Amino acid sequence: MRRIVMLVLIAAAALAAEPARPAEEPVTFGDQISRVLQAHCQTCHRPEGGAPFSLLTYQDAYLWRQQIHVATQARRMPPWKPVAGHGDFAEVRRLSDTDLALIARWVKAGAPEGDPARLPPPRTFPPTWTLGQPGLVLEMDEAYTVAAGAGDVYRCFTLPTRYSYDLYLSAVEVIPGNKKIVHHVLTYLDTTGASLALDRADPGPGYTCFGGPGFAATGGLGGWAPGAPPLVMPSDVGVFLPAGARVVAQVHYNNRSERAETDRTRIGLHFIRQPVDKRLRVVPVLNRGFVIPAGAARHEVRASWTVPLAWNLHTIGIAPHMHLLGREMKVTATYPDGTVRPLIYIDDWDFNWQGAYTFARPIPLPGGTRIDVQAIYDNSADNPRQPNRPPRPVGWGEGTTDEMCIAFLRVTVDSERLGARPR
Ligand code: HEC
C-alpha cells in the first residue's frame, strides 16, 4: 500500500513538473516537409542544380531522411558559412529553428507521406540563363576532358572578348557545362594577355592553376557554385570590361567517377543599356608577408586597410579567400568614431565552399574607416586538409600548398558620376 501511495505521489509530481502538452500536429511530407524542401533545398537538389541527388519527390526525401536529419541538425545543409549576427546578407541560406524542428519530428515519426492531395504545386525553375539571353556568351574553344578518377583538378581557361572599346556590364552569369564534375568557377580579367602566354605554355585546353589565375588580374566577374545567384549590379553600377580584355575562368573540377567526363563552361555577359553612374571596384584587403609555422594549430594572420580620408565608399559585397589551411576569417569595419561593425565571420572555412556574399543593403565606409581582417590557420598534422606531410612553414602563394589571406570588398565611390553612355 505504502509503495502504491509512493508511486502515485511520484507520478503526480512528474505530471506537475511537466504540464500536459497539447498534442503536436503530425508532420508529413504532403503538409510541411515538401514545402521546406522546395524553399530551402531544391535550388541545388534537382537534376540541374549541382547537388549529387534530387529532393523533389516523397521517394527522394524518404530515401535520404536520416542524412537529411543529420545534415540539417549539424547546419551543414543548406550550405551557408557566415555566422549569424556578423553581417547582414542578401539570399541567406539558413533554416529557421521551426523548420529544423519540423524535419526532426518528421524523421522521428518515421517520415510519413501524409496526404498527396495536400502537396504544393511543384516549384518551377528558370531556364538555363536565369537572367535571359546574355549579350555575349563566352565559351571554351574545345571541351576539356577530366580523366576517370582524377579527383580535384584546377584549370584556367582564357576567353577573349574582342571588343575594341570599353564596356560596362550589369550582370554576369556563369553556366557550368557539366555539373557532374564542375565544383565551382571563379573568373578574372586579364588586360595584358598574360593568360594567353600561360595557356600556350601548358599542353591541352587551358592551363593548371589553383589559388588564383597565375597573373595579376585587374578584376573579376563573379563565378558559379551550386545554388549561387549570378552577379547582378545595382541599377546605377557597372562592372568595367576594358577593351580587348580576356576573361579567365578558373574551374575546380572533381571527378571521382570511373568515367572520363568533359566540360565546356560558358560565361554570359549582360551589357548596360542606360548611362552608368558608378564603376564596381574591388579592394583586396590582404597580407602577403606572413609565415605560418609548421605544426601551429591556431596561427593568426591580420590584415588592415583604411579608407583614404578623401573618399567615401559603400561596400556592396565581400568575398573572403584562403586556401586549405584556413579555418576562420573575421572582417570588421571600425568607423572614425570608434564604432565597430562586423562585416562577416566564417568560423568553419572550407576552400570548397568559398562564396562571394552580397550585403542586404550597401554599407557606408566613410573616409578614415579601418577594415580589419583576422584569419586563423591550422598548420598542424591533425588538420585533415593539411596538404603538406609533414607540415612545413607556409607563406603566401598561389599553389595548393601555399596560403593566402584576403578579404575582397566590392565597393563603389559615393562621389563618382561617370554618366557613361550605352553602346
Ligand atoms: C546551395 C546548394 C545546396 C542547397 C541549398 C542544399 N544542398 Fe544539400 N548538398 C549540396 C551539395 C553540393 C552536396 C554534396 C556535398 C558537398 O559538396 O558538400 C549536398 C549534400 C547533401 C547531403 C549529403 C551530404 C551530407 O552533408 O550529409 C544531404 C543529406 C543534403 N545535401 C541535404 C540537404 C537538405 C535537406 C537541404 C535543404 C534543407 C539542402 N541539402 C540544401 C548542395 C546544396
Side-chain angles (χ1 to χ4, degrees):
M1 186 64 183
R2 278 253 300 275
R3 269 183 72 185
I4 290 172
V5 171
M6 278 290 283
L7 283 177
V8 168
L9 281 176
I10 289 168
L15 272 179
E18 205 179 319
R21 270 189 282 164
E24 278 182 326
E25 207 195 323
V27 183
T28 68
F29 184 80
D31 278 310
Q32 300 98 335
I33 299 304
S34 52
R35 289 168 173 83
V36 174
L37 300 188
Q38 272 193 359
H40 300 287
C41 315
Q42 291 177 2
T43 37
C44 302
H45 288 273
R46 65 187 160 102
E48 276 302 295
F53 56 93
S54 287
L55 289 175
L56 297 178
T57 64
Y58 174 65
Q59 284 70 26
D60 296 333
Y62 184 81
L63 186 69
W64 286 94
R65 64 195 182 284
Q66 297 298 352
Q67 291 91 333
I68 289 173
H69 184 209
V70 173
T72 52
Q73 289 298 318
R75 291 211 177 273
R76 203 162 60 235
M77 287 289 148
W80 180 252
K81 289 289 175 183
V83 176
H86 298 258
D88 209 357
F89 298 101
E91 318 223 19
V92 174
R93 288 195 300 251
R94 247 181 103 77
L95 282 184
S96 68
D97 291 347
T98 315
D99 287 344
L100 210 58
L102 278 177
I103 292 176
R105 274 172 56 205
W106 178 66
V107 175
K108 242 187 222 149
E113 180 172 18
D115 182 357
R118 308 276 286 264
L119 283 174
R123 180 171 168 185
T124 53
F125 294 96
T128 309
W129 298 109
T130 63
L131 304 172
Q133 187 63 31
L136 177 71
V137 178
L138 302 172
E139 188 170 16
M140 289 153 55
D141 284 345
E142 48 181 317
Y144 183 65
T145 302
V146 183
D152 293 311
V153 173
Y154 298 86
R155 195 89 184 160
C156 281
F157 303 93
T158 172
L159 311 170
T161 58
R162 299 202 173 91
Y163 290 101
S164 57
Y165 40 85
D166 297 341
L167 285 164
Y168 284 92
L169 306 172
S170 58
V172 179
E173 187 156 23
V174 179
I175 306 286
N178 182 347
K179 286 184 180 159
K180 273 190 272 187
I181 53 166
V182 175
H183 192 288
H184 72 251
V185 182
L186 293 171
T187 65
Y188 301 90
L189 282 178
D190 173 15
T191 49
T192 64
S195 59
L196 191 59
L198 289 164
D199 186 19
R200 289 192 173 136
D202 191 320
Y207 59 94
T208 292
C209 55
F210 174 74
F215 61 90
T218 50
L221 300 177
W224 179 87
L231 179 76
V232 180
M233 288 298 105
S235 60
D236 58 340
V237 182
V239 180
F240 187 55
L241 182 71
R246 287 177 163 268
V247 178
V248 175
Q250 182 193 40
V251 189
H252 172 190
Y253 295 108
N254 185 289
N255 189 5
R256 289 203 159 75
S257 81
E258 286 160 17
R259 284 185 26 202
E261 293 280 350
T262 59
D263 167 60
R264 269 180 97 170
T265 284
R266 288 175 295 165
I267 302 173
L269 307 182
H270 293 261
F271 299 102
I272 290 199
R273 298 184 190 286
Q274 69 281 8
V276 52
D277 230 12
K278 297 182 194 311
R279 174 169 156 184
L280 177 78
R281 292 160 198 278
V282 178
V283 177
V285 183
L286 54 80
N287 178 339
R288 297 165 63 107
F290 60 88
V291 175
I292 310 165
R298 264 188 83 79
H299 182 78
E300 185 186 282
V301 175
R302 284 174 172 270
S304 286
W305 178 74
T306 301
V307 181
L309 279 175
W311 296 358
N312 290 316
L313 309 178
H314 272 76
T315 174
I316 57 180
I318 189 165
H321 183 69
M322 299 184 280
H323 291 177
L324 299 167
L325 298 179
R327 290 304 305 136
E328 298 178 22
M329 187 176 276
K330 192 180 270 182
V331 186
T332 55
T334 303
Y335 288 113
D337 71 358
T339 317
V340 179
R341 177 168 185 160
L343 296 181
I344 196 167
Y345 175 33
I346 289 176
D347 65 351
D348 179 24
W349 172 258
D350 182 346
F351 182 78
N352 289 326
W353 279 110
Q354 51 184 313
Y357 300 92
T358 301
F359 294 114
R361 277 166 302 282
I363 296 172
L365 299 178
T369 302
R370 195 183 70 241
I371 306 297
D372 289 306
V373 177
Q374 182 195 6
I376 306 285
Y377 300 84
D378 179 356
N379 196 10
S380 72
D382 297 336
N383 182 350
R385 299 191 184 112
Q386 173 63 259
N388 299 303
R389 306 258 168 215
R392 62 165 177 81
V394 170
W396 177 276
E398 287 209 352
T400 342
T401 54
D402 305 316
E403 265 303 336
M404 288 200 180
C405 173
I406 318 178
F408 291 101
L409 283 180
R410 279 188 264 152
V411 305
T412 56
V413 180
D414 292 3
S415 60
E416 191 166 47
R417 298 278 180 275
L418 291 170
R421 291 282 142 195
R423 286 240 169 215

